[in-house]
Amino acid sequence: MATTKSTVAGRSAIDWAGLGWMFLFFWYFSGVTQALIWASGVAGFSGFRQAFLASALWLVPLLLFPGRAKLLAGAIGAVLWLCSLAGFGYFLVYGQEFSQSVIFIMFESNVNEASEYLGHYFSWSVVLAAAAYGLGGWLLWRKVRPVYLPRRAALVASLLLFTFSVGYPAARQLLKHGEFQTALEDFEKRIEAASPWQLVVGYHQYRRQLGNMEDLLASREQIPPLKNLVDAHAGQPSTLVLVIGESTNRQRLSLYGYSRPTTPNLDKLRGELQVFDNVVTPRPYTIEALQQVLTFADQEHPNLYLTTPSLVSVMKQAGYKTYWITNQQTITKRNTMLTTFSKQADEQFYLNNNRDQNARQYDGSVLDPFAQVLADDAPRKFVVVHLLGAHMRYKYRYPDEFERFTDRSGVPASVTDDQLPTYNSYDNAVLYNDYVVSSLIERFRATDPNGFLLYLADHGEAVFDAPDPEVLGRNEAAPTGPMYTVPFILWNSPKWQAQQARDFAASLHRPYSSSHFIHTWADLAGLRFDEFDSSKSLVSAEFRERPLLIGNPGQPKSLIDFSLVKPKKPADQGSELVQQERKGKGQSL
């Protein structure tokens, strides 16, 4: 009888310690990896916070069925542990966060490639770490004990936990967007950091974006080739390289006159470079800009990217073996179009598989694949190298040894003390970008190639620049110069210059929109076809100056000439990119 009273008495009070051990056990399978990611500086705090919230869901069955708490915890924990091993192991090996991009690459690899990867990265230390990780989960499971609540209290607590962990985030996204599909996508991002959703959501996103990409690829296969293509270098060995930068405002490059030495390596190469100083991008966002840069689309004909060959297709038609090396995210909703372009290449190297674009990922990772491609015995090669450049968050774009700008030296007086760390980190990102781009040029030059390397950025970035020192990021609705001014740099090999001698002096200062880039590239490559327009080539003697149209071509009346841009303050107290940052979205903009 005494035992019964004791039990009843025990049920009348909440066992907070028991609840704590339950939550810690379930959190462990998501929180450990997210804690490592956060502590190592690979990504910010959002993943850790999301894992914390989502882990509370698993308390519900234990509160509803306390008599089976140990069994339920073991069954759920086993599933969480197995699902979390992918993310835990991937971080240990690659130092990145597991995402749908990893799943994409896993399914795109054949069995031999997968075996090679496993063999290359297999390590007993990783096995021991995984074993220790599993042991930690087992030790926590031993601490799990039933927590008895009155039935009504258990139901109320379970409802609150469900609402707290998934119900409220889901309802909030539905109310915010109104459209179920959009709400679902944003909700998935809120829980993706936690196990098992990292695999479930990752696979769901992979399948959805794969379907979109396959549809795009199928539609592109129906696009007819260029008419009457002629190559002035046909039959000759040649290597042509296009390096696409990211979020790089040329006004912050010392190569373009900036007071801080942010491009010391390119400055040293200045005598070998053709530096074009009046090129602007049509759109301040990666996908929208490159839809025009890499196809025949432009501001007046924005949908031509759907019905005309891409630059990769053009070069394949000209007889080049094509390669795509990217340090951008791979198969995300925003990047599916770029992945479609990349899949048209003969070989791809996908280097950035982080779940969040705002993660520590260095562009130096492109150098080894680039060297591998240069060593390929294909006689004619076309190589695209897509960098992460100076993409926000800037502090994640460079290693510690490139953090050289830390004070106010060379900083405009308009930059406040609060803005200074961000201003400096952007210049440090540009400094590291200089190292990567110059290293690509030097490695290319070392092969004594017959060809050229061209570097341009997709768009610029405003980082507290005069005359709008309060603006950070990009906002098409409130354009400022730094959002659109991009570097455009050409390195010609001596062999190529000898075969196709040009005097670039007359073209270096021409006002030019990168929306017509494909014509300039064709001209430089010695390609001619019916669709080629020499008046749209920056380096042609027949070049014709046009308005530098910027804005959303979906609203033609809103298009303006860049030369008419006047500084104005964004109405939303910050650029679209800053708003994205505040919401924790990491897509490539």
Side-chain angles (χ1 to χ4, degrees):
M1 189 69 175
T3 301
T4 304
K5 288 181 180 179
S6 175
T7 302
V8 172
R11 291 184 183 181
S12 66
I14 297 176
D15 182 3
W16 291 106
L19 282 172
W21 283 115
M22 280 183 189
F23 177 78
L24 185 61
F25 171 69
F26 292 125
W27 171 86
Y28 177 83
F29 300 109
S30 303
V32 168
T33 302
Q34 289 300 326
L36 290 171
I37 289 169
W38 179 34
S40 64
V42 169
F45 182 71
S46 61
F48 184 88
R49 182 184 66 248
Q50 291 162 6
F52 183 88
L53 296 175
S55 298
L57 176 67
W58 307 114
L59 296 178
V60 172
L62 274 67
L63 292 179
L64 293 177
F65 305 101
R68 300 178 182 176
K70 198 81 171 180
L71 177 63
L72 288 171
I76 296 171
V79 173
L80 297 181
W81 174 70
L82 286 172
C83 291
S84 69
L85 280 176
F88 180 73
Y90 190 78
F91 173 78
L92 293 181
V93 173
Y94 292 96
Q96 295 182 347
E97 189 174 5
F98 192 88
S99 70
Q100 71 267 26
S101 296
V102 182
I103 297 175
F104 170 72
I105 292 173
M106 287 167 53
F107 282 98
E108 288 294 299
S109 301
N110 58 42
V111 175
N112 290 334
E113 289 173 332
S115 300
E116 289 175 4
Y117 282 131
L118 289 174
H120 181 71
Y121 288 107
F122 176 82
S123 167
W124 283 111
S125 61
V126 173
V127 174
L128 290 174
Y133 174 64
L135 177 62
W138 178 73
L139 292 173
L140 286 173
W141 176 74
R142 294 188 64 187
K143 293 286 187 178
V144 173
R145 60 177 182 253
V147 174
Y148 292 97
L149 296 174
R151 190 62 182 170
R152 179 174 295 180
L155 290 171
V156 171
S158 298
L159 180 61
L160 289 174
L161 285 169
F162 178 82
T163 302
F164 173 75
S165 59
V166 295
Y168 172 72
R172 182 171 178 269
Q173 294 305 320
L174 187 59
L175 290 173
K176 177 181 176 182
H177 297 288
E179 182 182 336
F180 177 77
Q181 186 60 44
T182 303
L184 177 61
E185 291 171 2
D186 273 10
F187 171 67
E188 287 178 340
K189 294 173 187 174
R190 296 297 186 274
I191 64 172
E192 187 181 2
S195 180
W197 312 119
Q198 197 167 55
L199 283 180
V200 174
V201 171
Y203 183 74
H204 179 235
Q205 291 176 342
Y206 156 73
R207 292 300 308 176
R208 181 171 62 238
Q209 302 310 329
L210 181 66
N212 293 340
M213 189 184 71
E214 288 176 340
D215 290 343
L216 285 168
L217 281 171
S219 66
R220 298 204 68 82
E221 289 177 358
Q222 308 304 315
I223 296 173
L226 298 174
K227 298 176 183 177
N228 302 315
L229 187 147
V230 177
D231 183 357
H233 303 277
Q236 300 177 15
S238 56
T239 300
L240 309 183
V241 182
L242 172 61
V243 181
I244 304 173
E246 164 75 51
S247 302
T248 307
N249 167 23
R250 69 163 177 264
Q251 299 174 42
R252 298 289 281 270
L253 277 63
S254 54
L255 185 69
Y256 283 90
Y258 182 49
S259 61
R260 279 181 156 183
T262 53
T263 54
N265 296 314
L266 290 174
D267 292 341
K268 292 177 183 177
L269 293 170
R270 183 67 175 81
E272 303 178 39
L273 304 176
Q274 306 299 329
V275 181
F276 299 85
D277 61 11
N278 205 0
V279 177
V280 301
T281 185
R283 308 289 303 273
Y285 312 120
T286 297
I287 311 304
E288 288 78 2
L290 293 183
Q291 282 174 352
Q292 298 187 28
V293 171
L294 298 176
T295 71
F296 289 89
D298 57 29
Q299 289 289 73
E300 296 172 294
H301 311 91
N303 293 324
L304 282 181
Y305 77 93
L306 295 169
T307 58
T308 59
S310 70
L311 185 58
V312 174
S313 298
V314 171
M315 299 308 291
K316 291 181 76 170
Q317 187 179 342
Y320 286 80
K321 183 176 180 180
T322 54
Y323 310 80
W324 191 288
I325 304 170
T326 180
N327 196 36
Q328 296 261 339
Q329 283 180 302
T330 306
I331 189 162
T332 65
K333 182 179 180 181
R334 283 283 298 168
N335 282 10
T336 300
M337 173 55 71
L338 289 184
T339 305
T340 301
F341 287 148
S342 75
K343 289 299 292 180
Q344 293 178 298
D346 296 306
E347 293 188 16
Q348 303 85 20
F349 298 82
Y350 300 121
L351 306 174
N352 182 353
N353 302 309
N354 283 292
R355 182 178 62 89
D356 192 340
Q357 189 86 295
N358 299 321
R360 195 171 295 280
Q361 179 70 22
Y362 303 138
D363 279 332
S365 61
V366 305
L367 296 177
D368 286 345
F370 184 62
Q372 180 181 334
V373 168
L374 293 179
D376 193 319
D377 59 5
R380 290 163 64 80
K381 297 189 282 282
F382 168 61
V383 189
V384 177
V385 182
H386 194 184
L387 305 177
L388 200 48
H391 192 286
M392 191 183 276
R393 298 181 179 181
Y394 315 126
K395 66 180 181 179
Y396 291 149
R397 301 286 79 84
Y398 56 89
D400 291 342
E401 58 267 29
F402 282 84
E403 190 170 6
R404 299 181 192 174
F405 302 108
T406 57
D407 56 24
R408 281 196 162 271
S409 300
V411 177
S414 59
V415 176
T416 67
D417 290 342
D418 289 340
Q419 295 170 343
L420 183 62
T422 301
Y423 188 95
N424 281 334
S425 63
Y426 183 76
D427 281 351
N428 288 324
V430 173
L431 178 70
Y432 184 64
N433 184 71
D434 167 73
Y435 159 74
V436 174
V437 175
S438 62
S439 295
L440 289 169
I441 293 173
E442 289 168 354
R443 293 194 180 200
F444 185 45
R445 179 176 57 183
T447 64
D448 189 25
N450 179 39
F452 63 85
L453 180 149
L454 193 152
Y455 163 71
L456 82 159
D458 52 3
H459 53 74
E461 186 103 328
V463 187
F464 309 127
D465 299 282
D468 302 274
E470 77 284 0
V471 179
L472 174 63
R474 290 161 271 131
N475 187 349
E476 194 165 54
T480 65
M483 301 176 191
Y484 293 87
T485 52
V486 295
F488 194 105
I489 302 165
L490 175 67
W491 182 86
N492 271 316
S493 74
K495 289 181 179 178
W496 189 266
Q497 182 66 10
Q499 288 185 11
Q500 189 168 299
R502 287 181 184 269
D503 181 4
F504 292 98
S507 57
L508 295 178
H509 311 298
R510 288 171 171 169
Y512 188 70
S513 171
S514 60
S515 64
H516 298 143
F517 173 76
I518 199 166
H519 299 278
T520 296
W521 179 272
D523 200 353
L524 289 169
L527 302 178
R528 293 293 184 272
F529 37 84
D530 289 357
E531 296 84 351
F532 173 72
D533 186 345
S534 60
S535 72
K536 293 181 179 179
S537 167
L538 177 58
V539 298
S540 171
E542 299 172 6
F543 169 80
R544 178 165 59 86
E545 188 173 327
R546 290 173 165 82
L548 304 177
L549 296 178
I550 64 171
N552 181 0
Q555 302 170 349
K557 292 183 179 179
S558 70
L559 297 180
I560 60 174
D561 188 338
F562 177 77
S563 63
L564 303 178
V565 170
K566 302 295 183 183
K568 57 182 178 179
K569 186 175 181 180
D572 60 355
Q573 298 182 348
S575 71
E576 291 181 6
L577 180 58
V578 173
Q579 297 302 323
Q580 294 277 0
E581 289 291 315
R582 290 172 182 165
K583 296 173 185 175
K585 296 181 180 180
Q587 302 301 331
S588 177
L589 293 174

